[in-house]
Amino acid sequence: MNNLTSSQRKLVYFVGIAILAVPIVFLGRPAAEGGQGGGMIAQSRQKYRLGEVSFGEVDPASATMNLVLLGLRGVAANLLWMEADELKEKKRWSELNSTVESIIRLQPHFQSVWKFQAWNLSYNVSAECDAVEDRYFWVKKGIKFLERGVARNERVPEMRHDLGDFYGKKLGRSDERREFREFFLVDPDTERWEGGPDTEINPDRLDNYLVAKQKYEAANEVYRLPGVEQHKMGEPLFVMYPYRSQMDYASARQDENKFGDVTREAWAESYRGWTQEYGQTDFPTPGGVIRFEWTHDELERKGEEEGYSLDFKIYWQGRYEDMVNYRYWKLRASVERTPELAAARKAFADGRVQFREEQDMFAARDTFYDGLEKLQTVIDNPEYRREDGSSRLLSDEADLVEDALKAIIIWRHILQDVLGQPIPDEFPMDEVWVDPQYEGLRASLLEEFQRWQGSGI
Amino acid sequence: MTAESVIQVRNLSKVYRDFWGRKKVQALNSLSLDVRKGEVFGLLGPNGSGKTTTLKLLLGLLFPTEGEVTVLGEPAHDVGKNERIGYLPEESYLYRFLNADETLDFYGKLFDMPAAQRKERRDALIKQVGLENARRRQLKEYSKGMTRRIGLAQALINNPELVLLDEPTSGLDPLGTRDMKDMILKLREEGKTVVMCSHLLADVQDVCDRIAILYAGELKVIGNVSELLQSNEETQLLTSTLKDDAVKEIEEVLKKHGAQLKNVSHPTTTLEELFLKTVKESRERPGRRFAPGEAPGQDKSGAV
Amino acid sequence: MDYESQPYHVTAALVEWLLVIGAAALIALFVGGVVALFLAGRRAPALVFAALKRGFSDLTSLSVRRIGALARLTIQESLSRRTLLVLFVFVSLFAAGNLFLQSPGQDMPAKPFVSFVMTSIRWVLIPVALLLSCWGLPADIKSRSLHTVVTKPVHRSEIVIGRMLGYSLLTSFILFVVALLGLIWIQRVVPERSKPQLTARVPVYCDLEDFFFLDRNGQTGKGLNVGDMWEHRGFIEGQTKSRAVWIFEGVDESYLNDEGELRMEYSFEAFRSHKGRIDEGVRFRLHLVNEEKGLDVPYPQRGAGLEVQEFSGERAARKDQEKPIIDIPRELSRTVGLDEDGSKVDLFDDLVEDGKLRIELSCEDDGQYIGAANTDLFIRLADKPFAVGYFKAIFGLWLMVVLVCIIGTTASCFLKGPVATLLTFGLVILGHPMRSYMENQLQQLDEKGRVLGGGMLEACYRLVTQMNVQSPLPENDATRVIQYLDTHIFNGLKIAEFIIPNFKHFDMTVFVANGFDVPWMDAGAAIVPAILTVLGYLIPCVILGYFSLQLRELEAK
């Protein structure tokens, strides 16, 4: 080699490089459109879904960053993570936000980074703020952040499911849920969103639970794709969320004293989704495939196919039903969609207003009585009675009992203490009033009522 | 020797050591010599004999292991003496991103010269070294010869009393060598003292008044060039062309004086002189010397 | 803003500097003497004396023209190395800035944009200054261009100073261009709604020692911790006698704004121990107190108090959102005091005493808490344009870059390029990101006599044996030796603390990013300490660089 001139040596190097490059180029040649063909590496990438494209949206900035940092990506991400922790500790939220952005540029496909930091923004940062508007602002930040994570990780059902949690649980179940749910429709930043919702998270001006339902549905869709797994929770639970969100939506409307047709239809839709979609979903169990809505005949037929006994299949169907509380929710949706129960609930709400705010005692008395009567007809519906005559509704629906007891307490108070009228021996729903199993509940509700009366709020 | 000495070297030794202080090379061993005012002094020796080391010790770039050096009456490490010294390094260690003007201006500033004086010196020197056409080109585009010229120019920027030249003619073509030698002789005429080191003996012989020959760090010979080379056994005559009988007559005359004619021939000129003559003529009379197709080398008598 | 205002004591700093320099000089002299003695024997004292004498004259008789020429050469040399290409780095950085700050929506505050500019400038310019200054001189020595220079009547001190000057000028030019680009970029990309945050508020803080808490019984005490790891703010409890107290000094009528009011701004933090009214903020009240006259004038004077506006710099303000600003009128009615007729009090005549104004903060909501630190309440003088604060911070950055050039050049006088780079970079890292860690360790050592997890060797021991930092070391000879050695390592660190430059003084990002003017005087980042720090290093660095060049043979072999 030493006898070679410099240009000869360079030629030798070049030829060497070229020879070495041939197999790399051959093995790594890219796949054609649609992922067909290509070199061995490209095929394996396709097969194991390791290609950038197969994860979801490609972010050119982060691809560049990774290239620039060579092997130091992990180190850089670590440093940024430490910085993020310090910024959080020192409550420098806006810088925390931009540091987190830098982290995900480095690790765009690291599920827990997205999840952790979205949680950080939506839950931790927002909780630090005193003004509800500010809290909402940071909840939104977290949601938007996670939305982007989902876009970059299309085949990760957990992240979509988490997103549903943010829309549903963070907005709908926190202390500030009343304000949050309002803000979701009318953003407090009225200047920017012109009195409407933040279209980045709610383009169609929907209820937060309905948006959550969409996200959960999207999670289910991805989950059903071949080769996709999720490790967040048991399958029946994971799949259940869109249907439960629908119920949450209906139930939240009731909490907000909205008892019209929209609410009732929301319950009707809940029942339909729960029984006809969720209840007709195949779930593999140790006892073979089951569906919640399958009758014993259907179970038996399936069992013969699979070689399981009917008893065994019934056992597993029951176990799975218990896991998700299937029958309870079915009953609940079923009864809430009836006009009678809607009317009863509306009557109780109206009665409270008449009693408390309008101070129209006669009207309140009649409204409560009317409501109790309506409730009685619902309870008496044979569909909800067990064979021994006891009410399935009353034993399963604790809040119905509570509602009934509250109504009776106020009604009795109006009669006895305000109007000075006698209380009749029999009245609608008196079975609850006299039932000794509810005595404790009755006493505590009475106490609560006294406090409520005294507080003047 | 004492009053006129520009450089005094006494008992000078230099040992190069490695990182751990272990002795690596004895570059110079007890050197003592003097350089007198107004002479051209040559340091001769094969590669590694200690010429450059001596020069660097004179300049204060290296510190002596033992002994003393006085230059222009000051110790070698004194910065003040540099005002009166010019130094041309072995290879011209100049800044390659500067052009000739900038280079000379920069070194002029280092002598704290005012702008007008710098310009004057700069113009004069560039003319002197013949770089008028290249003064705005960056040094990195210069040929070896041009680099030596600008190197010499920067060494003379301060009109120094003492000029130290490290291998002034190395790497130069004969024309450049001659120019360099002429300039050295001119410096002597101006009354400057020149110290040069070289291993090109012919060059040394041409310009030096006195020389010292170093070998392996030790001084071997020192003295006047003419004295050292003079041979008193023979006398040389040079005449215009003589006919054969004229030669015979001269032989007779010589015999009368007890001498003997040893050799009669046409003197060959040195290649250097031939080369210089050709170039000079070419400059004065440009044009083709050989007709196209005619093989050079066949005597056409007009070549010289 | 996580910042504590502390006074900077120039005299104390100067004394400390003189002590350190003196000690360093003595040590250097001693080491030099020993080396000379070793090399030259009996001639050593004369040699040392001669070197010092020559040094003194070389360092005091400097030629401006020579230094100028060397500085210019340095710049030309750097330019020939395509240094200006770094400008393209900035252009592309700013162009990519939008990508890093994802979706700069309308609600993005100005802060991250400003931080981004300052941080990018810092971290791109430091390596530039570092590489230029650390590699220039060694390259010059290696190529022997320096031989031609030092055989001219140039003092080596002039070479050192010329180099430092050249690098500083060049990097200053780059910095200036980049700063302009950065300013334009900021003005362009900060969302319209956050533009008001681009300002330079001029705060008057109370000194740290003039800020304290009264506990729930009204006694001097500490602020409560509500569970934050960060102990920056102390909290006071609502509807108790608990208060946070600020005493502002030098308050006079020049502090009033155009409307004749004293404008105050706060950045308190609320903490709730119960839900309370969720749609309303926790309320507070300020009290203007003159203890001598027994005056305690509340503000606001009526109503339930002011709602805390938190984290106003962390997002763009909504249109109707209140700002955390309190304008206190000069004339206040005395609702609490000795006079029964409710007569008026004058802010300056009655409340300010010897230029001191005492302001107390109370939380008005029962069971809720408000947190405050000494910089969380300040008198806000007339604002300056954003560019003022910005360029002051750039000036701070410039000083830091200059310091890097100075240290880099000095290091390159006695080290080869790569080593000089490592040394200087090490000092930069120790001086800025690691400084607070080092200070924290030494403070622990000072206060508790030991550092959590022990010193260097102990930490190694724990790492290897996988022992956590809390559990005590086993008692044996090995651990005793380890601890003994660690004590001495810490002593070394204590000394190093004086030598490692405190880059904290230069980082003024926190001010501009938060829309504040940069202070002239403060123990943290401020203009005067930054200038003094640079000067403090310039002098010894020139001396060190000079002797390093003077006392070495400029032969690269």
Side-chain angles (χ1 to χ4, degrees), chain C residues 381-410:
Chain C
L381 303 183
D383 291 353
K384 291 184 180 159
F386 173 69
V388 171
Y390 178 76
F391 279 108
K392 271 164 114 176
I394 291 289
F395 179 70
L397 212 57
W398 176 76
L399 287 171
M400 181 174 73
V401 171
V402 167
L403 184 55
V404 173
C405 287
I406 290 174
I407 295 175
T409 309
T410 311

mmCIF file of all heavy atoms in Angstrom, chain C residues 381-410:
data_model
loop_
_atom_site.group_PDB
_atom_site.id
_atom_site.type_symbol
_atom_site.label_atom_id
_atom_site.label_comp_id
_atom_site.label_asym_id
_atom_site.label_seq_id
_atom_site.Cartn_x
_atom_site.Cartn_y
_atom_site.Cartn_z
ATOM 1 N N LEU C 381 -41.837 51.294 38.707
ATOM 2 C CA LEU C 381 -41.600 52.634 38.148
ATOM 3 C C LEU C 381 -42.012 52.630 36.676
ATOM 4 O O LEU C 381 -42.454 51.615 36.150
ATOM 5 C CB LEU C 381 -40.120 52.995 38.292
ATOM 6 C CG LEU C 381 -39.582 52.956 39.733
ATOM 7 C CD1 LEU C 381 -38.135 53.399 39.768
ATOM 8 C CD2 LEU C 381 -40.415 53.824 40.657
ATOM 9 N N ALA C 382 -41.825 53.767 36.026
ATOM 10 C CA ALA C 382 -42.233 53.862 34.629
ATOM 11 C C ALA C 382 -41.491 52.804 33.801
ATOM 12 O O ALA C 382 -40.291 52.617 33.962
ATOM 13 C CB ALA C 382 -41.927 55.250 34.097
ATOM 14 N N ASP C 383 -42.229 52.123 32.929
ATOM 15 C CA ASP C 383 -41.625 51.071 32.110
ATOM 16 C C ASP C 383 -40.656 51.657 31.093
ATOM 17 O O ASP C 383 -40.803 52.793 30.659
ATOM 18 C CB ASP C 383 -42.716 50.311 31.343
ATOM 19 C CG ASP C 383 -43.575 49.494 32.274
ATOM 20 O OD1 ASP C 383 -43.231 49.427 33.474
ATOM 21 O OD2 ASP C 383 -44.580 48.948 31.811
ATOM 22 N N LYS C 384 -39.694 50.844 30.723
ATOM 23 C CA LYS C 384 -38.801 51.213 29.624
ATOM 24 C C LYS C 384 -39.143 50.336 28.425
ATOM 25 O O LYS C 384 -39.775 49.297 28.572
ATOM 26 C CB LYS C 384 -37.349 50.982 30.049
ATOM 27 C CG LYS C 384 -36.907 51.959 31.116
ATOM 28 C CD LYS C 384 -35.450 51.779 31.438
ATOM 29 C CE LYS C 384 -35.024 52.755 32.516
ATOM 30 N NZ LYS C 384 -33.822 52.322 33.210
ATOM 31 N N PRO C 385 -38.679 50.764 27.256
ATOM 32 C CA PRO C 385 -38.961 49.909 26.096
ATOM 33 C C PRO C 385 -38.272 48.552 26.250
ATOM 34 O O PRO C 385 -37.226 48.452 26.893
ATOM 35 C CB PRO C 385 -38.350 50.676 24.915
ATOM 36 C CG PRO C 385 -38.071 52.031 25.417
ATOM 37 C CD PRO C 385 -37.951 51.960 26.894
ATOM 38 N N PHE C 386 -38.868 47.546 25.641
ATOM 39 C CA PHE C 386 -38.327 46.191 25.725
ATOM 40 C C PHE C 386 -36.863 46.144 25.290
ATOM 41 O O PHE C 386 -36.040 45.465 25.882
ATOM 42 C CB PHE C 386 -39.164 45.261 24.846
ATOM 43 C CG PHE C 386 -38.605 43.876 24.729
ATOM 44 C CD1 PHE C 386 -38.599 43.031 25.819
ATOM 45 C CD2 PHE C 386 -38.057 43.427 23.538
ATOM 46 C CE1 PHE C 386 -38.077 41.758 25.726
ATOM 47 C CE2 PHE C 386 -37.533 42.149 23.428
ATOM 48 C CZ PHE C 386 -37.548 41.319 24.530
ATOM 49 N N ALA C 387 -36.555 46.920 24.236
ATOM 50 C CA ALA C 387 -35.195 46.876 23.700
ATOM 51 C C ALA C 387 -34.153 47.244 24.754
ATOM 52 O O ALA C 387 -33.028 46.739 24.725
ATOM 53 C CB ALA C 387 -35.078 47.803 22.499
ATOM 54 N N VAL C 388 -34.534 48.099 25.700
ATOM 55 C CA VAL C 388 -33.575 48.505 26.730
ATOM 56 C C VAL C 388 -33.153 47.285 27.552
ATOM 57 O O VAL C 388 -31.966 46.991 27.702
ATOM 58 C CB VAL C 388 -34.190 49.587 27.645
ATOM 59 C CG1 VAL C 388 -33.278 49.850 28.830
ATOM 60 C CG2 VAL C 388 -34.422 50.862 26.850
ATOM 61 N N GLY C 389 -34.158 46.584 28.065
ATOM 62 C CA GLY C 389 -33.840 45.393 28.852
ATOM 63 C C GLY C 389 -33.127 44.351 28.014
ATOM 64 O O GLY C 389 -32.163 43.730 28.449
ATOM 65 N N TYR C 390 -33.601 44.218 26.793
ATOM 66 C CA TYR C 390 -33.033 43.204 25.906
ATOM 67 C C TYR C 390 -31.553 43.467 25.662
ATOM 68 O O TYR C 390 -30.715 42.580 25.811
ATOM 69 C CB TYR C 390 -33.815 43.210 24.594
ATOM 70 C CG TYR C 390 -33.310 42.249 23.546
ATOM 71 C CD1 TYR C 390 -33.559 40.890 23.644
ATOM 72 C CD2 TYR C 390 -32.586 42.706 22.455
ATOM 73 C CE1 TYR C 390 -33.111 40.013 22.686
ATOM 74 C CE2 TYR C 390 -32.123 41.832 21.481
ATOM 75 C CZ TYR C 390 -32.388 40.484 21.598
ATOM 76 O OH TYR C 390 -31.931 39.606 20.647
ATOM 77 N N PHE C 391 -31.234 44.697 25.314
ATOM 78 C CA PHE C 391 -29.839 44.963 25.005
ATOM 79 C C PHE C 391 -28.961 44.979 26.253
ATOM 80 O O PHE C 391 -27.771 44.683 26.182
ATOM 81 C CB PHE C 391 -29.681 46.247 24.187
ATOM 82 C CG PHE C 391 -29.961 46.019 22.731
ATOM 83 C CD1 PHE C 391 -31.109 46.499 22.139
ATOM 84 C CD2 PHE C 391 -29.082 45.265 21.968
ATOM 85 C CE1 PHE C 391 -31.376 46.254 20.804
ATOM 86 C CE2 PHE C 391 -29.338 45.020 20.631
ATOM 87 C CZ PHE C 391 -30.495 45.513 20.044
ATOM 88 N N LYS C 392 -29.565 45.289 27.375
ATOM 89 C CA LYS C 392 -28.780 45.157 28.605
ATOM 90 C C LYS C 392 -28.442 43.682 28.845
ATOM 91 O O LYS C 392 -27.308 43.336 29.229
ATOM 92 C CB LYS C 392 -29.534 45.733 29.802
ATOM 93 C CG LYS C 392 -29.270 47.225 30.006
ATOM 94 C CD LYS C 392 -30.312 47.815 30.932
ATOM 95 C CE LYS C 392 -29.734 48.268 32.240
ATOM 96 N NZ LYS C 392 -30.774 48.917 33.078
ATOM 97 N N ALA C 393 -29.409 42.828 28.607
ATOM 98 C CA ALA C 393 -29.146 41.393 28.790
ATOM 99 C C ALA C 393 -28.132 40.909 27.762
ATOM 100 O O ALA C 393 -27.274 40.078 28.063
ATOM 101 C CB ALA C 393 -30.443 40.601 28.668
ATOM 102 N N ILE C 394 -28.235 41.454 26.551
ATOM 103 C CA ILE C 394 -27.248 41.100 25.523
ATOM 104 C C ILE C 394 -25.866 41.579 25.963
ATOM 105 O O ILE C 394 -24.861 40.899 25.770
ATOM 106 C CB ILE C 394 -27.643 41.723 24.166
ATOM 107 C CG1 ILE C 394 -28.887 41.058 23.615
ATOM 108 C CG2 ILE C 394 -26.492 41.638 23.168
ATOM 109 C CD1 ILE C 394 -28.700 39.646 23.137
ATOM 110 N N PHE C 395 -25.851 42.743 26.596
ATOM 111 C CA PHE C 395 -24.584 43.257 27.106
ATOM 112 C C PHE C 395 -24.002 42.279 28.132
ATOM 113 O O PHE C 395 -22.803 41.992 28.123
ATOM 114 C CB PHE C 395 -24.812 44.632 27.736
ATOM 115 C CG PHE C 395 -23.573 45.250 28.326
ATOM 116 C CD1 PHE C 395 -22.550 45.700 27.510
ATOM 117 C CD2 PHE C 395 -23.432 45.374 29.699
ATOM 118 C CE1 PHE C 395 -21.411 46.270 28.047
ATOM 119 C CE2 PHE C 395 -22.295 45.942 30.253
ATOM 120 C CZ PHE C 395 -21.281 46.384 29.420
ATOM 121 N N GLY C 396 -24.868 41.761 28.980
ATOM 122 C CA GLY C 396 -24.425 40.766 29.950
ATOM 123 C C GLY C 396 -23.859 39.538 29.260
ATOM 124 O O GLY C 396 -22.797 39.018 29.630
ATOM 125 N N LEU C 397 -24.551 39.114 28.224
ATOM 126 C CA LEU C 397 -24.104 37.968 27.445
ATOM 127 C C LEU C 397 -22.758 38.283 26.793
ATOM 128 O O LEU C 397 -21.866 37.435 26.731
ATOM 129 C CB LEU C 397 -25.149 37.697 26.357
ATOM 130 C CG LEU C 397 -25.360 36.269 25.928
ATOM 131 C CD1 LEU C 397 -25.719 35.410 27.103
ATOM 132 C CD2 LEU C 397 -26.472 36.218 24.901
ATOM 133 N N TRP C 398 -22.655 39.520 26.321
ATOM 134 C CA TRP C 398 -21.405 39.952 25.688
ATOM 135 C C TRP C 398 -20.259 39.845 26.692
ATOM 136 O O TRP C 398 -19.192 39.323 26.370
ATOM 137 C CB TRP C 398 -21.569 41.393 25.193
ATOM 138 C CG TRP C 398 -20.310 41.962 24.614
ATOM 139 C CD1 TRP C 398 -19.794 41.682 23.387
ATOM 140 C CD2 TRP C 398 -19.406 42.883 25.245
ATOM 141 N NE1 TRP C 398 -18.627 42.373 23.213
ATOM 142 C CE2 TRP C 398 -18.355 43.123 24.329
ATOM 143 C CE3 TRP C 398 -19.379 43.532 26.475
ATOM 144 C CZ2 TRP C 398 -17.294 43.980 24.621
ATOM 145 C CZ3 TRP C 398 -18.332 44.385 26.764
ATOM 146 C CH2 TRP C 398 -17.304 44.603 25.843
ATOM 147 N N LEU C 399 -20.518 40.316 27.900
ATOM 148 C CA LEU C 399 -19.466 40.244 28.916
ATOM 149 C C LEU C 399 -19.055 38.802 29.157
ATOM 150 O O LEU C 399 -17.879 38.489 29.317
ATOM 151 C CB LEU C 399 -19.956 40.874 30.219
ATOM 152 C CG LEU C 399 -20.053 42.396 30.213
ATOM 153 C CD1 LEU C 399 -20.760 42.893 31.462
ATOM 154 C CD2 LEU C 399 -18.670 43.029 30.127
ATOM 155 N N MET C 400 -20.044 37.919 29.142
ATOM 156 C CA MET C 400 -19.725 36.520 29.390
ATOM 157 C C MET C 400 -18.861 35.967 28.257
ATOM 158 O O MET C 400 -17.887 35.259 28.499
ATOM 159 C CB MET C 400 -21.004 35.703 29.508
ATOM 160 C CG MET C 400 -20.721 34.256 29.787
ATOM 161 S SD MET C 400 -22.188 33.335 30.090
ATOM 162 C CE MET C 400 -22.821 33.261 28.463
ATOM 163 N N VAL C 401 -19.240 36.309 27.025
ATOM 164 C CA VAL C 401 -18.470 35.828 25.882
ATOM 165 C C VAL C 401 -17.042 36.380 25.952
ATOM 166 O O VAL C 401 -16.077 35.672 25.682
ATOM 167 C CB VAL C 401 -19.183 36.234 24.574
ATOM 168 C CG1 VAL C 401 -18.295 35.936 23.384
ATOM 169 C CG2 VAL C 401 -20.480 35.493 24.440
ATOM 170 N N VAL C 402 -16.942 37.650 26.348
ATOM 171 C CA VAL C 402 -15.618 38.258 26.506
ATOM 172 C C VAL C 402 -14.820 37.480 27.551
ATOM 173 O O VAL C 402 -13.643 37.169 27.355
ATOM 174 C CB VAL C 402 -15.748 39.740 26.902
ATOM 175 C CG1 VAL C 402 -14.406 40.281 27.362
ATOM 176 C CG2 VAL C 402 -16.262 40.555 25.727
ATOM 177 N N LEU C 403 -15.498 37.142 28.645
ATOM 178 C CA LEU C 403 -14.803 36.398 29.695
ATOM 179 C C LEU C 403 -14.329 35.041 29.169
ATOM 180 O O LEU C 403 -13.213 34.599 29.474
ATOM 181 C CB LEU C 403 -15.727 36.227 30.907
ATOM 182 C CG LEU C 403 -15.101 35.544 32.116
ATOM 183 C CD1 LEU C 403 -13.836 36.249 32.558
ATOM 184 C CD2 LEU C 403 -16.083 35.490 33.275
ATOM 185 N N VAL C 404 -15.173 34.405 28.376
ATOM 186 C CA VAL C 404 -14.766 33.123 27.794
ATOM 187 C C VAL C 404 -13.541 33.326 26.911
ATOM 188 O O VAL C 404 -12.575 32.545 26.964
ATOM 189 C CB VAL C 404 -15.925 32.494 26.989
ATOM 190 C CG1 VAL C 404 -15.450 31.262 26.242
ATOM 191 C CG2 VAL C 404 -17.064 32.121 27.908
ATOM 192 N N CYS C 405 -13.557 34.414 26.116
ATOM 193 C CA CYS C 405 -12.399 34.702 25.255
ATOM 194 C C CYS C 405 -11.149 34.915 26.113
ATOM 195 O O CYS C 405 -10.065 34.425 25.782
ATOM 196 C CB CYS C 405 -12.648 35.955 24.418
ATOM 197 S SG CYS C 405 -13.831 35.716 23.094
ATOM 198 N N ILE C 406 -11.311 35.651 27.183
ATOM 199 C CA ILE C 406 -10.166 35.951 28.044
ATOM 200 C C ILE C 406 -9.590 34.661 28.629
ATOM 201 O O ILE C 406 -8.392 34.386 28.546
ATOM 202 C CB ILE C 406 -10.593 36.908 29.184
ATOM 203 C CG1 ILE C 406 -10.877 38.292 28.609
ATOM 204 C CG2 ILE C 406 -9.515 36.978 30.259
ATOM 205 C CD1 ILE C 406 -11.443 39.258 29.622
ATOM 206 N N ILE C 407 -10.491 33.854 29.179
ATOM 207 C CA ILE C 407 -10.015 32.621 29.813
ATOM 208 C C ILE C 407 -9.431 31.680 28.767
ATOM 209 O O ILE C 407 -8.373 31.076 28.960
ATOM 210 C CB ILE C 407 -11.161 31.935 30.588
ATOM 211 C CG1 ILE C 407 -11.591 32.839 31.746
ATOM 212 C CG2 ILE C 407 -10.727 30.587 31.111
ATOM 213 C CD1 ILE C 407 -12.787 32.331 32.491
ATOM 214 N N GLY C 408 -10.108 31.590 27.618
ATOM 215 C CA GLY C 408 -9.637 30.708 26.554
ATOM 216 C C GLY C 408 -8.256 31.114 26.077
ATOM 217 O O GLY C 408 -7.361 30.279 25.928
ATOM 218 N N THR C 409 -8.067 32.424 25.854
ATOM 219 C CA THR C 409 -6.767 32.902 25.392
ATOM 220 C C THR C 409 -5.690 32.587 26.423
ATOM 221 O O THR C 409 -4.603 32.111 26.086
ATOM 222 C CB THR C 409 -6.824 34.418 25.147
ATOM 223 O OG1 THR C 409 -7.949 34.698 24.328
ATOM 224 C CG2 THR C 409 -5.567 34.905 24.470
ATOM 225 N N THR C 410 -6.028 32.845 27.679
ATOM 226 C CA THR C 410 -5.053 32.585 28.733
ATOM 227 C C THR C 410 -4.666 31.113 28.757
ATOM 228 O O THR C 410 -3.485 30.765 28.822
ATOM 229 C CB THR C 410 -5.647 32.974 30.100
ATOM 230 O OG1 THR C 410 -6.191 34.274 29.986
ATOM 231 C CG2 THR C 410 -4.587 32.941 31.168
#
